[in-house]
Amino acid sequence: MAQAAQQPAGRVTKRRVRTRANLLSAAFSVFAAKGYGRVSIEEVCEAAGYSRGAFYSNFDSLDELFFALYRERADLIADQVAGALALDGPDLDVPAAVDRVTEVLLLDLDWLLVKTDFLVHAARDPVVARTLLEHRARLRQAVADRLSRARGHTELPAVLGDADGAAHAVVAAYDGVTTQLLLDKDVEGARAWLKQLLTALLTDGSDKPAAQRGG
């Protein structure tokens, strides 16, 4: 009898998880199209096909939804970057790794729009800023961890100092390239430019790791 009583609760939980995911997905499209601060709860509900009641059963406010959306996407990007960098052996094939990372980072213009909205909001709110800084630190750490594992196999330019310094440079290069991308929408041009920058940062500018060059 107790087992039968638990089954509806399980179904409700699964339905709620699905509803939350659908709201986040719909909100992503709406925020990307209109911008944070110009979106209403009604618009998110309409895009997702849910009532306000369904919204409030999952989120207390539009701000909470926006932050949940940012964290979900930011964590996904950090995981994808870590995965792209983990495919080589002890040696780091810089050109191949750069190709994989730029594919992950540059394909989604909608994400860049939402992330930029979050950056502007964070600049005015220290609590929100901490959330953004935590994500950026996680992204840098994923890069730094991979570069650290490759030390002794793949030489980094001394000017960057260490793996942490190189990781900061990688994220800074990405920031600069995506600013231009938001304006000209040239994904292929941005990808090519980021590949050039990261290759120059992580090697001597050639297309081969130091361990594969003579001298």
Side-chain angles (χ1 to χ4, degrees), residues 100-114:
R100 292 193 299 268
V101 169
T102 54
E103 288 291 331
V104 169
L105 287 175
L106 277 173
L107 282 177
D108 196 344
L109 279 166
D110 283 348
W111 162 245
L112 295 179
L113 288 168
V114 171

PDB file of all heavy atoms in Angstrom, residues 100-114:
ATOM      1  N   ARG A 100      38.997  21.840 -31.170  1.00  0.00           N
ATOM      2  CA  ARG A 100      37.863  21.315 -30.401  1.00  0.00           C
ATOM      3  C   ARG A 100      37.277  22.385 -29.489  1.00  0.00           C
ATOM      4  O   ARG A 100      36.056  22.512 -29.364  1.00  0.00           O
ATOM      5  CB  ARG A 100      38.312  20.104 -29.581  1.00  0.00           C
ATOM      6  CG  ARG A 100      38.679  18.891 -30.419  1.00  0.00           C
ATOM      7  CD  ARG A 100      38.796  17.641 -29.565  1.00  0.00           C
ATOM      8  NE  ARG A 100      39.824  17.762 -28.549  1.00  0.00           N
ATOM      9  CZ  ARG A 100      41.087  17.372 -28.712  1.00  0.00           C
ATOM     10  NH1 ARG A 100      41.472  16.849 -29.865  1.00  0.00           N
ATOM     11  NH2 ARG A 100      41.958  17.493 -27.738  1.00  0.00           N
ATOM     12  N   VAL A 101      38.131  23.165 -28.835  1.00  0.00           N
ATOM     13  CA  VAL A 101      37.649  24.186 -27.903  1.00  0.00           C
ATOM     14  C   VAL A 101      36.897  25.288 -28.637  1.00  0.00           C
ATOM     15  O   VAL A 101      35.842  25.750 -28.181  1.00  0.00           O
ATOM     16  CB  VAL A 101      38.821  24.766 -27.083  1.00  0.00           C
ATOM     17  CG1 VAL A 101      38.374  26.015 -26.321  1.00  0.00           C
ATOM     18  CG2 VAL A 101      39.350  23.729 -26.099  1.00  0.00           C
ATOM     19  N   THR A 102      37.402  25.725 -29.785  1.00  0.00           N
ATOM     20  CA  THR A 102      36.708  26.791 -30.515  1.00  0.00           C
ATOM     21  C   THR A 102      35.367  26.311 -31.056  1.00  0.00           C
ATOM     22  O   THR A 102      34.418  27.097 -31.154  1.00  0.00           O
ATOM     23  CB  THR A 102      37.576  27.342 -31.666  1.00  0.00           C
ATOM     24  OG1 THR A 102      38.009  26.264 -32.507  1.00  0.00           O
ATOM     25  CG2 THR A 102      38.781  28.077 -31.128  1.00  0.00           C
ATOM     26  N   GLU A 103      35.265  25.038 -31.399  1.00  0.00           N
ATOM     27  CA  GLU A 103      33.970  24.495 -31.821  1.00  0.00           C
ATOM     28  C   GLU A 103      32.965  24.598 -30.677  1.00  0.00           C
ATOM     29  O   GLU A 103      31.811  24.959 -30.866  1.00  0.00           O
ATOM     30  CB  GLU A 103      34.122  23.035 -32.258  1.00  0.00           C
ATOM     31  CG  GLU A 103      34.831  22.839 -33.589  1.00  0.00           C
ATOM     32  CD  GLU A 103      34.015  23.314 -34.767  1.00  0.00           C
ATOM     33  OE1 GLU A 103      32.775  23.281 -34.687  1.00  0.00           O
ATOM     34  OE2 GLU A 103      34.611  23.734 -35.772  1.00  0.00           O
ATOM     35  N   VAL A 104      33.406  24.277 -29.468  1.00  0.00           N
ATOM     36  CA  VAL A 104      32.528  24.312 -28.296  1.00  0.00           C
ATOM     37  C   VAL A 104      32.139  25.740 -27.941  1.00  0.00           C
ATOM     38  O   VAL A 104      30.983  26.037 -27.640  1.00  0.00           O
ATOM     39  CB  VAL A 104      33.216  23.632 -27.088  1.00  0.00           C
ATOM     40  CG1 VAL A 104      32.431  23.892 -25.807  1.00  0.00           C
ATOM     41  CG2 VAL A 104      33.338  22.132 -27.327  1.00  0.00           C
ATOM     42  N   LEU A 105      33.093  26.649 -27.973  1.00  0.00           N
ATOM     43  CA  LEU A 105      32.888  27.985 -27.433  1.00  0.00           C
ATOM     44  C   LEU A 105      32.173  28.943 -28.373  1.00  0.00           C
ATOM     45  O   LEU A 105      31.518  29.865 -27.930  1.00  0.00           O
ATOM     46  CB  LEU A 105      34.237  28.601 -27.040  1.00  0.00           C
ATOM     47  CG  LEU A 105      34.901  28.044 -25.787  1.00  0.00           C
ATOM     48  CD1 LEU A 105      36.271  28.672 -25.595  1.00  0.00           C
ATOM     49  CD2 LEU A 105      34.045  28.309 -24.562  1.00  0.00           C
ATOM     50  N   LEU A 106      32.295  28.753 -29.675  1.00  0.00           N
ATOM     51  CA  LEU A 106      31.870  29.812 -30.576  1.00  0.00           C
ATOM     52  C   LEU A 106      30.578  29.571 -31.362  1.00  0.00           C
ATOM     53  O   LEU A 106      30.120  30.445 -32.050  1.00  0.00           O
ATOM     54  CB  LEU A 106      32.991  30.103 -31.592  1.00  0.00           C
ATOM     55  CG  LEU A 106      34.086  31.048 -31.095  1.00  0.00           C
ATOM     56  CD1 LEU A 106      35.202  31.123 -32.110  1.00  0.00           C
ATOM     57  CD2 LEU A 106      33.533  32.432 -30.847  1.00  0.00           C
ATOM     58  N   LEU A 107      29.993  28.399 -31.261  1.00  0.00           N
ATOM     59  CA  LEU A 107      28.881  28.095 -32.143  1.00  0.00           C
ATOM     60  C   LEU A 107      27.574  28.780 -31.765  1.00  0.00           C
ATOM     61  O   LEU A 107      26.726  28.981 -32.604  1.00  0.00           O
ATOM     62  CB  LEU A 107      28.650  26.577 -32.182  1.00  0.00           C
ATOM     63  CG  LEU A 107      29.639  25.803 -33.061  1.00  0.00           C
ATOM     64  CD1 LEU A 107      29.353  24.315 -32.972  1.00  0.00           C
ATOM     65  CD2 LEU A 107      29.560  26.265 -34.509  1.00  0.00           C
ATOM     66  N   ASP A 108      27.384  29.141 -30.529  1.00  0.00           N
ATOM     67  CA  ASP A 108      26.066  29.571 -30.054  1.00  0.00           C
ATOM     68  C   ASP A 108      26.007  31.076 -29.797  1.00  0.00           C
ATOM     69  O   ASP A 108      26.353  31.557 -28.723  1.00  0.00           O
ATOM     70  CB  ASP A 108      25.722  28.801 -28.774  1.00  0.00           C
ATOM     71  CG  ASP A 108      24.237  28.885 -28.444  1.00  0.00           C
ATOM     72  OD1 ASP A 108      23.558  29.770 -29.008  1.00  0.00           O
ATOM     73  OD2 ASP A 108      23.769  28.083 -27.632  1.00  0.00           O
ATOM     74  N   LEU A 109      25.547  31.805 -30.790  1.00  0.00           N
ATOM     75  CA  LEU A 109      25.417  33.256 -30.653  1.00  0.00           C
ATOM     76  C   LEU A 109      24.369  33.612 -29.607  1.00  0.00           C
ATOM     77  O   LEU A 109      24.513  34.608 -28.886  1.00  0.00           O
ATOM     78  CB  LEU A 109      25.058  33.883 -32.000  1.00  0.00           C
ATOM     79  CG  LEU A 109      26.220  34.113 -32.966  1.00  0.00           C
ATOM     80  CD1 LEU A 109      25.693  34.403 -34.359  1.00  0.00           C
ATOM     81  CD2 LEU A 109      27.100  35.258 -32.482  1.00  0.00           C
ATOM     82  N   ASP A 110      23.309  32.823 -29.512  1.00  0.00           N
ATOM     83  CA  ASP A 110      22.280  33.095 -28.501  1.00  0.00           C
ATOM     84  C   ASP A 110      22.878  33.032 -27.096  1.00  0.00           C
ATOM     85  O   ASP A 110      22.550  33.851 -26.227  1.00  0.00           O
ATOM     86  CB  ASP A 110      21.122  32.101 -28.623  1.00  0.00           C
ATOM     87  CG  ASP A 110      20.200  32.420 -29.780  1.00  0.00           C
ATOM     88  OD1 ASP A 110      20.317  33.520 -30.357  1.00  0.00           O
ATOM     89  OD2 ASP A 110      19.365  31.568 -30.125  1.00  0.00           O
ATOM     90  N   TRP A 111      23.755  32.059 -26.856  1.00  0.00           N
ATOM     91  CA  TRP A 111      24.400  31.969 -25.545  1.00  0.00           C
ATOM     92  C   TRP A 111      25.240  33.210 -25.267  1.00  0.00           C
ATOM     93  O   TRP A 111      25.241  33.748 -24.162  1.00  0.00           O
ATOM     94  CB  TRP A 111      25.260  30.711 -25.459  1.00  0.00           C
ATOM     95  CG  TRP A 111      26.279  30.762 -24.351  1.00  0.00           C
ATOM     96  CD1 TRP A 111      27.632  30.768 -24.465  1.00  0.00           C
ATOM     97  CD2 TRP A 111      26.019  30.847 -22.941  1.00  0.00           C
ATOM     98  NE1 TRP A 111      28.234  30.847 -23.240  1.00  0.00           N
ATOM     99  CE2 TRP A 111      27.268  30.891 -22.285  1.00  0.00           C
ATOM    100  CE3 TRP A 111      24.852  30.894 -22.182  1.00  0.00           C
ATOM    101  CZ2 TRP A 111      27.381  30.983 -20.895  1.00  0.00           C
ATOM    102  CZ3 TRP A 111      24.965  30.974 -20.794  1.00  0.00           C
ATOM    103  CH2 TRP A 111      26.211  31.020 -20.170  1.00  0.00           C
ATOM    104  N   LEU A 112      25.948  33.708 -26.275  1.00  0.00           N
ATOM    105  CA  LEU A 112      26.765  34.910 -26.081  1.00  0.00           C
ATOM    106  C   LEU A 112      25.892  36.109 -25.725  1.00  0.00           C
ATOM    107  O   LEU A 112      26.280  36.947 -24.908  1.00  0.00           O
ATOM    108  CB  LEU A 112      27.584  35.205 -27.338  1.00  0.00           C
ATOM    109  CG  LEU A 112      28.653  34.171 -27.706  1.00  0.00           C
ATOM    110  CD1 LEU A 112      29.367  34.587 -28.989  1.00  0.00           C
ATOM    111  CD2 LEU A 112      29.651  33.984 -26.570  1.00  0.00           C
ATOM    112  N   LEU A 113      24.714  36.202 -26.325  1.00  0.00           N
ATOM    113  CA  LEU A 113      23.804  37.300 -25.999  1.00  0.00           C
ATOM    114  C   LEU A 113      23.331  37.206 -24.547  1.00  0.00           C
ATOM    115  O   LEU A 113      23.326  38.205 -23.814  1.00  0.00           O
ATOM    116  CB  LEU A 113      22.603  37.281 -26.943  1.00  0.00           C
ATOM    117  CG  LEU A 113      22.868  37.713 -28.386  1.00  0.00           C
ATOM    118  CD1 LEU A 113      21.667  37.368 -29.264  1.00  0.00           C
ATOM    119  CD2 LEU A 113      23.180  39.195 -28.461  1.00  0.00           C
ATOM    120  N   VAL A 114      22.932  36.006 -24.132  1.00  0.00           N
ATOM    121  CA  VAL A 114      22.476  35.821 -22.754  1.00  0.00           C
ATOM    122  C   VAL A 114      23.626  36.066 -21.778  1.00  0.00           C
ATOM    123  O   VAL A 114      23.448  36.709 -20.735  1.00  0.00           O
ATOM    124  CB  VAL A 114      21.897  34.401 -22.576  1.00  0.00           C
ATOM    125  CG1 VAL A 114      21.610  34.112 -21.109  1.00  0.00           C
ATOM    126  CG2 VAL A 114      20.621  34.246 -23.397  1.00  0.00           C
TER     127      VAL A 114
END
